[in-house]
Amino acid sequence: AGKHTADVAREQAAGVAAEAGRQGRDLLRQGQDQLGEQAAQGQQRLAAQLLSLSDQLSSMADGSGQSGVAADLARQAASRARDAGQWLGERGPAQVIDEVQSFARRRPAVFVALAAGVGLVAGRLTRGLQAASTDGPAPGHHASPRADGWNTP
């Protein structure tokens, strides 16, 4: 009777372990699927923002009515933003990662320089957005009212 009870307990423990393994794999697969969906959505949002930026830069360059270095730079930036937006929009997250890894292997110095530039720009944008979202003046600055209703630091 004791041997039979031990065998039953062993079988039940094996069944519980197998079920826990199946549930763990299912949970991992669900997590990977959700992460992939979120990455794809973020990538599509970024592509749309780049295309919008391209349109804005084009409008700015064309709306100035002048030709010159600034207008040419705006047109070039618009073209590059459009190309980047289209490139991102046409690929999945895995393809983008593969392309970036391939580029990093072929041109490591350029990749590091670009990554540093992107980090610098992202940091500046983040600081600018944080500063713009605060209601009060920056620490150490006191706003003083002016007669025209505008505050000066």
Side-chain angles (χ1 to χ4, degrees), residues 56-114:
Q56 291 172 9
L57 288 170
S58 291
S59 295
M60 184 176 71
D62 295 339
S64 71
Q66 298 178 0
S67 62
V69 175
D72 289 343
L73 287 174
R75 283 186 194 90
Q76 288 177 7
S79 174
R80 290 181 191 245
R82 183 177 36 262
D83 291 346
Q86 289 172 344
W87 185 86
L88 274 175
E90 294 168 354
R91 286 164 178 74
Q95 291 172 306
V96 171
I97 289 171
D98 289 343
E99 292 280 337
V100 169
Q101 286 176 339
S102 175
F103 178 77
R105 274 194 234 60
R106 286 190 321 266
R107 309 213 30 212
V110 173
F111 176 78
V112 169
L114 286 172

Short mmCIF file of all heavy atoms in Angstrom, two decimals, residues 56-114:
data_model
loop_
_atom_site.label_atom_id
_atom_site.label_comp_id
_atom_site.label_asym_id
_atom_site.label_seq_id
_atom_site.Cartn_x
_atom_site.Cartn_y
_atom_site.Cartn_z
N GLN A 56 6.35 68.58 -42.52
CA GLN A 56 6.51 69.90 -41.91
C GLN A 56 7.75 70.61 -42.44
O GLN A 56 7.71 71.81 -42.74
CB GLN A 56 6.58 69.77 -40.39
CG GLN A 56 5.27 69.34 -39.75
CD GLN A 56 5.42 69.04 -38.28
OE1 GLN A 56 6.46 69.28 -37.68
NE2 GLN A 56 4.38 68.49 -37.68
N LEU A 57 8.85 69.87 -42.55
CA LEU A 57 10.07 70.48 -43.07
C LEU A 57 9.91 70.90 -44.52
O LEU A 57 10.39 71.96 -44.92
CB LEU A 57 11.25 69.52 -42.92
CG LEU A 57 11.77 69.30 -41.49
CD1 LEU A 57 12.76 68.14 -41.46
CD2 LEU A 57 12.39 70.57 -40.95
N SER A 58 9.23 70.09 -45.30
CA SER A 58 8.98 70.43 -46.71
C SER A 58 8.12 71.69 -46.80
O SER A 58 8.40 72.59 -47.60
CB SER A 58 8.27 69.29 -47.43
OG SER A 58 9.14 68.20 -47.58
N SER A 59 7.08 71.75 -45.99
CA SER A 59 6.22 72.93 -45.99
C SER A 59 6.99 74.17 -45.57
O SER A 59 6.81 75.25 -46.14
CB SER A 59 5.04 72.73 -45.03
OG SER A 59 4.21 71.71 -45.49
N MET A 60 7.85 74.00 -44.58
CA MET A 60 8.64 75.13 -44.11
C MET A 60 9.58 75.62 -45.21
O MET A 60 9.69 76.82 -45.47
CB MET A 60 9.46 74.72 -42.88
CG MET A 60 10.25 75.85 -42.25
SD MET A 60 11.10 75.31 -40.74
CE MET A 60 12.37 74.27 -41.44
N ALA A 61 10.24 74.69 -45.88
CA ALA A 61 11.18 75.07 -46.94
C ALA A 61 10.45 75.68 -48.13
O ALA A 61 10.90 76.68 -48.68
CB ALA A 61 11.99 73.86 -47.38
N ASP A 62 9.33 75.10 -48.51
CA ASP A 62 8.59 75.59 -49.67
C ASP A 62 7.82 76.87 -49.35
O ASP A 62 7.65 77.73 -50.21
CB ASP A 62 7.63 74.53 -50.19
CG ASP A 62 8.37 73.30 -50.72
OD1 ASP A 62 9.57 73.42 -51.05
OD2 ASP A 62 7.75 72.22 -50.78
N GLY A 63 7.36 76.99 -48.11
CA GLY A 63 6.57 78.14 -47.73
C GLY A 63 7.38 79.40 -47.51
O GLY A 63 6.83 80.50 -47.47
N SER A 64 8.68 79.26 -47.37
CA SER A 64 9.50 80.44 -47.13
C SER A 64 9.58 81.33 -48.36
O SER A 64 9.81 82.53 -48.26
CB SER A 64 10.92 80.04 -46.69
OG SER A 64 11.63 79.47 -47.78
N GLY A 65 9.41 80.73 -49.53
CA GLY A 65 9.46 81.50 -50.75
C GLY A 65 10.85 81.97 -51.12
O GLY A 65 11.02 82.73 -52.05
N GLN A 66 11.81 81.51 -50.37
CA GLN A 66 13.19 81.92 -50.64
C GLN A 66 14.03 80.68 -50.89
O GLN A 66 13.72 79.60 -50.42
CB GLN A 66 13.76 82.69 -49.46
CG GLN A 66 13.02 83.97 -49.17
CD GLN A 66 13.60 84.69 -47.95
OE1 GLN A 66 14.55 84.21 -47.36
NE2 GLN A 66 13.02 85.82 -47.61
N SER A 67 15.10 80.89 -51.62
CA SER A 67 16.05 79.80 -51.79
C SER A 67 17.31 80.21 -51.04
O SER A 67 17.60 81.39 -50.88
CB SER A 67 16.34 79.55 -53.26
OG SER A 67 16.92 80.70 -53.84
N GLY A 68 17.99 79.22 -50.57
CA GLY A 68 19.21 79.51 -49.83
C GLY A 68 19.64 78.28 -49.07
O GLY A 68 19.06 77.19 -49.21
N VAL A 69 20.66 78.46 -48.27
CA VAL A 69 21.23 77.33 -47.54
C VAL A 69 20.21 76.74 -46.57
O VAL A 69 20.05 75.52 -46.50
CB VAL A 69 22.52 77.77 -46.80
CG1 VAL A 69 23.06 76.64 -45.95
CG2 VAL A 69 23.57 78.23 -47.78
N ALA A 70 19.50 77.58 -45.82
CA ALA A 70 18.54 77.07 -44.83
C ALA A 70 17.42 76.29 -45.51
O ALA A 70 17.03 75.21 -45.04
CB ALA A 70 17.97 78.22 -44.01
N ALA A 71 16.89 76.80 -46.61
CA ALA A 71 15.82 76.10 -47.33
C ALA A 71 16.33 74.78 -47.89
O ALA A 71 15.63 73.76 -47.84
CB ALA A 71 15.26 76.98 -48.43
N ASP A 72 17.55 74.79 -48.43
CA ASP A 72 18.14 73.56 -48.96
C ASP A 72 18.34 72.53 -47.84
O ASP A 72 18.06 71.34 -48.03
CB ASP A 72 19.47 73.84 -49.65
CG ASP A 72 19.30 74.58 -50.97
OD1 ASP A 72 18.17 74.59 -51.50
OD2 ASP A 72 20.30 75.16 -51.45
N LEU A 73 18.82 72.97 -46.69
CA LEU A 73 19.01 72.06 -45.56
C LEU A 73 17.67 71.49 -45.10
O LEU A 73 17.57 70.30 -44.77
CB LEU A 73 19.72 72.76 -44.41
CG LEU A 73 21.21 73.05 -44.60
CD1 LEU A 73 21.76 73.87 -43.45
CD2 LEU A 73 21.99 71.75 -44.75
N ALA A 74 16.64 72.32 -45.06
CA ALA A 74 15.31 71.85 -44.66
C ALA A 74 14.79 70.81 -45.65
O ALA A 74 14.21 69.80 -45.26
CB ALA A 74 14.34 73.03 -44.55
N ARG A 75 15.01 71.04 -46.95
CA ARG A 75 14.58 70.07 -47.96
C ARG A 75 15.34 68.75 -47.82
O ARG A 75 14.76 67.67 -47.95
CB ARG A 75 14.78 70.64 -49.36
CG ARG A 75 13.72 71.63 -49.77
CD ARG A 75 13.86 72.09 -51.22
NE ARG A 75 13.06 73.26 -51.46
CZ ARG A 75 13.49 74.51 -51.31
NH1 ARG A 75 14.74 74.75 -50.98
NH2 ARG A 75 12.67 75.52 -51.53
N GLN A 76 16.65 68.84 -47.58
CA GLN A 76 17.45 67.62 -47.40
C GLN A 76 17.00 66.86 -46.16
O GLN A 76 16.87 65.63 -46.18
CB GLN A 76 18.93 67.97 -47.30
CG GLN A 76 19.55 68.39 -48.61
CD GLN A 76 21.01 68.81 -48.44
OE1 GLN A 76 21.60 68.66 -47.38
NE2 GLN A 76 21.59 69.33 -49.52
N ALA A 77 16.77 67.60 -45.06
CA ALA A 77 16.30 66.95 -43.83
C ALA A 77 14.93 66.31 -44.06
O ALA A 77 14.66 65.20 -43.57
CB ALA A 77 16.24 67.96 -42.70
N ALA A 78 14.06 66.99 -44.81
CA ALA A 78 12.73 66.44 -45.11
C ALA A 78 12.86 65.15 -45.91
O ALA A 78 12.17 64.16 -45.64
CB ALA A 78 11.90 67.46 -45.89
N SER A 79 13.76 65.15 -46.89
CA SER A 79 13.95 63.96 -47.72
C SER A 79 14.48 62.79 -46.89
O SER A 79 14.00 61.67 -47.02
CB SER A 79 14.93 64.29 -48.85
OG SER A 79 15.23 63.13 -49.59
N ARG A 80 15.42 63.07 -46.02
CA ARG A 80 15.98 61.99 -45.19
C ARG A 80 14.97 61.48 -44.17
O ARG A 80 14.90 60.28 -43.91
CB ARG A 80 17.26 62.46 -44.52
CG ARG A 80 18.37 62.62 -45.53
CD ARG A 80 19.66 63.04 -44.92
NE ARG A 80 20.58 63.43 -45.98
CZ ARG A 80 21.69 62.79 -46.23
NH1 ARG A 80 22.04 61.75 -45.53
NH2 ARG A 80 22.48 63.19 -47.21
N ALA A 81 14.19 62.39 -43.60
CA ALA A 81 13.16 61.96 -42.65
C ALA A 81 12.11 61.11 -43.36
O ALA A 81 11.65 60.10 -42.83
CB ALA A 81 12.51 63.18 -41.99
N ARG A 82 11.73 61.50 -44.58
CA ARG A 82 10.76 60.73 -45.36
C ARG A 82 11.32 59.34 -45.68
O ARG A 82 10.64 58.33 -45.52
CB ARG A 82 10.38 61.47 -46.65
CG ARG A 82 9.33 60.77 -47.47
CD ARG A 82 8.89 61.54 -48.72
NE ARG A 82 9.94 62.29 -49.39
CZ ARG A 82 10.17 63.61 -49.24
NH1 ARG A 82 9.42 64.32 -48.43
NH2 ARG A 82 11.15 64.20 -49.90
N ASP A 83 12.58 59.29 -46.12
CA ASP A 83 13.20 58.00 -46.43
C ASP A 83 13.25 57.10 -45.19
O ASP A 83 12.94 55.91 -45.27
CB ASP A 83 14.62 58.20 -46.97
CG ASP A 83 14.65 58.84 -48.35
OD1 ASP A 83 13.59 58.89 -49.02
OD2 ASP A 83 15.74 59.29 -48.76
N ALA A 84 13.63 57.69 -44.05
CA ALA A 84 13.71 56.90 -42.81
C ALA A 84 12.33 56.42 -42.38
O ALA A 84 12.16 55.27 -41.96
CB ALA A 84 14.36 57.73 -41.70
N GLY A 85 11.33 57.28 -42.50
CA GLY A 85 9.97 56.90 -42.13
C GLY A 85 9.44 55.78 -43.02
O GLY A 85 8.81 54.83 -42.53
N GLN A 86 9.69 55.89 -44.31
CA GLN A 86 9.25 54.83 -45.23
C GLN A 86 10.00 53.53 -44.96
O GLN A 86 9.41 52.45 -44.97
CB GLN A 86 9.45 55.28 -46.67
CG GLN A 86 8.49 56.36 -47.09
CD GLN A 86 8.80 56.94 -48.46
OE1 GLN A 86 9.89 56.76 -49.00
NE2 GLN A 86 7.84 57.66 -49.03
N TRP A 87 11.29 53.64 -44.71
CA TRP A 87 12.11 52.46 -44.44
C TRP A 87 11.59 51.74 -43.20
O TRP A 87 11.42 50.52 -43.21
CB TRP A 87 13.57 52.88 -44.27
CG TRP A 87 14.53 51.76 -44.11
CD1 TRP A 87 15.14 51.06 -45.11
CD2 TRP A 87 15.01 51.19 -42.88
NE1 TRP A 87 15.97 50.10 -44.58
CE2 TRP A 87 15.91 50.16 -43.21
CE3 TRP A 87 14.76 51.47 -41.55
CZ2 TRP A 87 16.55 49.40 -42.25
CZ3 TRP A 87 15.40 50.72 -40.59
CH2 TRP A 87 16.29 49.68 -40.94
N LEU A 88 11.33 52.50 -42.13
CA LEU A 88 10.82 51.88 -40.90
C LEU A 88 9.43 51.28 -41.11
O LEU A 88 9.13 50.22 -40.58
CB LEU A 88 10.74 52.91 -39.78
CG LEU A 88 11.99 53.15 -38.96
CD1 LEU A 88 11.77 54.29 -37.99
CD2 LEU A 88 12.43 51.90 -38.25
N GLY A 89 8.59 51.99 -41.86
CA GLY A 89 7.23 51.53 -42.07
C GLY A 89 7.13 50.25 -42.89
O GLY A 89 6.17 49.50 -42.77
N GLU A 90 8.13 49.99 -43.71
CA GLU A 90 8.11 48.82 -44.59
C GLU A 90 8.73 47.57 -43.96
O GLU A 90 8.72 46.51 -44.58
CB GLU A 90 8.87 49.14 -45.88
CG GLU A 90 8.21 50.21 -46.72
CD GLU A 90 9.11 50.71 -47.85
OE1 GLU A 90 10.30 50.31 -47.90
OE2 GLU A 90 8.62 51.52 -48.65
N ARG A 91 9.28 47.68 -42.76
CA ARG A 91 9.98 46.56 -42.14
C ARG A 91 9.36 46.22 -40.80
O ARG A 91 8.78 47.07 -40.14
CB ARG A 91 11.45 46.89 -41.95
CG ARG A 91 12.23 46.88 -43.25
CD ARG A 91 13.57 47.58 -43.15
NE ARG A 91 14.30 47.51 -44.40
CZ ARG A 91 14.02 48.19 -45.48
NH1 ARG A 91 12.98 48.99 -45.50
NH2 ARG A 91 14.75 48.07 -46.57
N GLY A 92 9.57 44.98 -40.40
CA GLY A 92 9.16 44.55 -39.07
C GLY A 92 10.30 44.80 -38.09
O GLY A 92 11.44 45.04 -38.49
N PRO A 93 10.01 44.73 -36.79
CA PRO A 93 11.04 44.98 -35.78
C PRO A 93 12.26 44.06 -35.93
O PRO A 93 13.40 44.52 -35.79
CB PRO A 93 10.32 44.72 -34.46
CG PRO A 93 8.89 44.96 -34.76
CD PRO A 93 8.70 44.54 -36.19
N ALA A 94 12.04 42.80 -36.25
CA ALA A 94 13.17 41.87 -36.40
C ALA A 94 14.05 42.26 -37.57
O ALA A 94 15.28 42.19 -37.50
CB ALA A 94 12.66 40.44 -36.57
N GLN A 95 13.43 42.72 -38.67
CA GLN A 95 14.21 43.16 -39.83
C GLN A 95 15.03 44.40 -39.50
O GLN A 95 16.17 44.52 -39.94
CB GLN A 95 13.28 43.46 -41.01
CG GLN A 95 12.62 42.24 -41.61
CD GLN A 95 11.58 42.64 -42.64
OE1 GLN A 95 10.69 43.43 -42.34
NE2 GLN A 95 11.72 42.10 -43.84
N VAL A 96 14.45 45.32 -38.73
CA VAL A 96 15.18 46.53 -38.35
C VAL A 96 16.38 46.16 -37.50
O VAL A 96 17.49 46.67 -37.72
CB VAL A 96 14.25 47.52 -37.61
CG1 VAL A 96 15.04 48.69 -37.03
CG2 VAL A 96 13.17 48.03 -38.55
N ILE A 97 16.18 45.27 -36.55
CA ILE A 97 17.29 44.84 -35.69
C ILE A 97 18.39 44.19 -36.52
O ILE A 97 19.57 44.47 -36.34
CB ILE A 97 16.79 43.90 -34.58
CG1 ILE A 97 15.95 44.69 -33.57
CG2 ILE A 97 17.94 43.20 -33.87
CD1 ILE A 97 15.22 43.85 -32.56
N ASP A 98 18.00 43.33 -37.46
CA ASP A 98 18.99 42.68 -38.32
C ASP A 98 19.77 43.71 -39.14
O ASP A 98 21.00 43.61 -39.27
CB ASP A 98 18.31 41.68 -39.27
CG ASP A 98 17.81 40.43 -38.55
OD1 ASP A 98 18.25 40.19 -37.40
OD2 ASP A 98 16.99 39.72 -39.14
N GLU A 99 19.06 44.69 -39.70
CA GLU A 99 19.72 45.73 -40.50
C GLU A 99 20.69 46.55 -39.65
O GLU A 99 21.80 46.86 -40.08
CB GLU A 99 18.68 46.66 -41.12
CG GLU A 99 17.84 46.02 -42.19
CD GLU A 99 18.54 45.95 -43.53
OE1 GLU A 99 19.47 46.73 -43.78
OE2 GLU A 99 18.14 45.10 -44.34
N VAL A 100 20.27 46.91 -38.43
CA VAL A 100 21.12 47.70 -37.55
C VAL A 100 22.36 46.90 -37.14
O VAL A 100 23.48 47.42 -37.15
CB VAL A 100 20.33 48.18 -36.31
CG1 VAL A 100 21.25 48.78 -35.25
CG2 VAL A 100 19.28 49.19 -36.72
N GLN A 101 22.17 45.64 -36.81
CA GLN A 101 23.32 44.80 -36.45
C GLN A 101 24.28 44.65 -37.62
O GLN A 101 25.50 44.71 -37.45
CB GLN A 101 22.84 43.41 -35.98
CG GLN A 101 22.21 43.43 -34.61
CD GLN A 101 21.65 42.07 -34.22
OE1 GLN A 101 21.37 41.23 -35.07
NE2 GLN A 101 21.45 41.88 -32.93
N SER A 102 23.74 44.46 -38.80
CA SER A 102 24.58 44.33 -39.99
C SER A 102 25.37 45.61 -40.23
O SER A 102 26.58 45.57 -40.52
CB SER A 102 23.70 44.01 -41.20
OG SER A 102 24.46 43.99 -42.37
N PHE A 103 24.71 46.75 -40.11
CA PHE A 103 25.40 48.04 -40.28
C PHE A 103 26.49 48.21 -39.23
O PHE A 103 27.60 48.66 -39.53
CB PHE A 103 24.39 49.19 -40.20
CG PHE A 103 25.03 50.54 -40.33
CD1 PHE A 103 25.43 51.01 -41.56
CD2 PHE A 103 25.25 51.33 -39.21
CE1 PHE A 103 26.03 52.26 -41.69
CE2 PHE A 103 25.84 52.57 -39.32
CZ PHE A 103 26.23 53.04 -40.56
N ALA A 104 26.18 47.85 -37.98
CA ALA A 104 27.15 48.00 -36.89
C ALA A 104 28.38 47.12 -37.14
O ALA A 104 29.50 47.51 -36.79
CB ALA A 104 26.51 47.64 -35.56
N ARG A 105 28.19 45.95 -37.72
CA ARG A 105 29.33 45.07 -38.02
C ARG A 105 30.18 45.63 -39.17
O ARG A 105 31.39 45.56 -39.15
CB ARG A 105 28.84 43.68 -38.41
CG ARG A 105 28.60 42.77 -37.23
CD ARG A 105 28.46 41.34 -37.71
NE ARG A 105 27.32 40.59 -37.34
CZ ARG A 105 26.03 40.80 -37.57
NH1 ARG A 105 25.62 41.76 -38.21
NH2 ARG A 105 25.10 40.01 -37.16
N ARG A 106 29.50 46.19 -40.18
CA ARG A 106 30.22 46.72 -41.35
C ARG A 106 30.95 48.01 -41.03
O ARG A 106 32.05 48.24 -41.53
CB ARG A 106 29.24 46.97 -42.51
CG ARG A 106 28.74 45.74 -43.20
CD ARG A 106 27.97 46.07 -44.49
NE ARG A 106 27.11 47.23 -44.41
CZ ARG A 106 25.81 47.22 -44.11
NH1 ARG A 106 25.22 46.08 -43.86
NH2 ARG A 106 25.12 48.33 -44.09
N ARG A 107 30.33 48.90 -40.25
CA ARG A 107 30.89 50.23 -39.99
C ARG A 107 30.76 50.58 -38.51
O ARG A 107 29.96 51.44 -38.13
CB ARG A 107 30.15 51.26 -40.84
CG ARG A 107 30.12 50.80 -42.30
CD ARG A 107 30.16 51.77 -43.38
NE ARG A 107 30.85 53.00 -43.17
CZ ARG A 107 30.48 54.13 -43.74
NH1 ARG A 107 29.43 54.16 -44.50
NH2 ARG A 107 31.17 55.23 -43.54
N PRO A 108 31.56 49.92 -37.67
CA PRO A 108 31.41 50.11 -36.22
C PRO A 108 31.65 51.55 -35.75
O PRO A 108 30.95 52.05 -34.88
CB PRO A 108 32.42 49.15 -35.60
CG PRO A 108 33.34 48.77 -36.69
CD PRO A 108 32.62 48.96 -37.98
N ALA A 109 32.64 52.24 -36.33
CA ALA A 109 32.93 53.60 -35.88
C ALA A 109 31.77 54.54 -36.22
O ALA A 109 31.37 55.37 -35.40
CB ALA A 109 34.22 54.11 -36.52
N VAL A 110 31.20 54.39 -37.40
CA VAL A 110 30.07 55.23 -37.80
C VAL A 110 28.86 54.91 -36.92
O VAL A 110 28.14 55.81 -36.49
CB VAL A 110 29.73 55.02 -39.30
CG1 VAL A 110 28.47 55.75 -39.69
CG2 VAL A 110 30.90 55.44 -40.17
N PHE A 111 28.66 53.62 -36.63
CA PHE A 111 27.54 53.22 -35.78
C PHE A 111 27.66 53.85 -34.40
O PHE A 111 26.68 54.40 -33.87
CB PHE A 111 27.48 51.69 -35.67
CG PHE A 111 26.41 51.21 -34.74
CD1 PHE A 111 25.09 51.19 -35.15
CD2 PHE A 111 26.73 50.80 -33.46
CE1 PHE A 111 24.09 50.76 -34.28
CE2 PHE A 111 25.73 50.37 -32.58
CZ PHE A 111 24.42 50.36 -33.00
N VAL A 112 28.85 53.80 -33.81
CA VAL A 112 29.04 54.37 -32.47
C VAL A 112 28.82 55.89 -32.52
O VAL A 112 28.18 56.46 -31.63
CB VAL A 112 30.44 54.02 -31.92
CG1 VAL A 112 30.76 54.81 -30.67
CG2 VAL A 112 30.53 52.53 -31.64
N ALA A 113 29.33 56.54 -33.55
CA ALA A 113 29.14 57.99 -33.67
C ALA A 113 27.65 58.33 -33.82
O ALA A 113 27.16 59.27 -33.19
CB ALA A 113 29.94 58.53 -34.86
N LEU A 114 26.94 57.58 -34.64
CA LEU A 114 25.51 57.81 -34.81
C LEU A 114 24.75 57.56 -33.51
O LEU A 114 23.85 58.33 -33.15
CB LEU A 114 24.94 56.93 -35.92
CG LEU A 114 25.30 57.34 -37.35
CD1 LEU A 114 24.83 56.29 -38.34
CD2 LEU A 114 24.70 58.69 -37.68
#
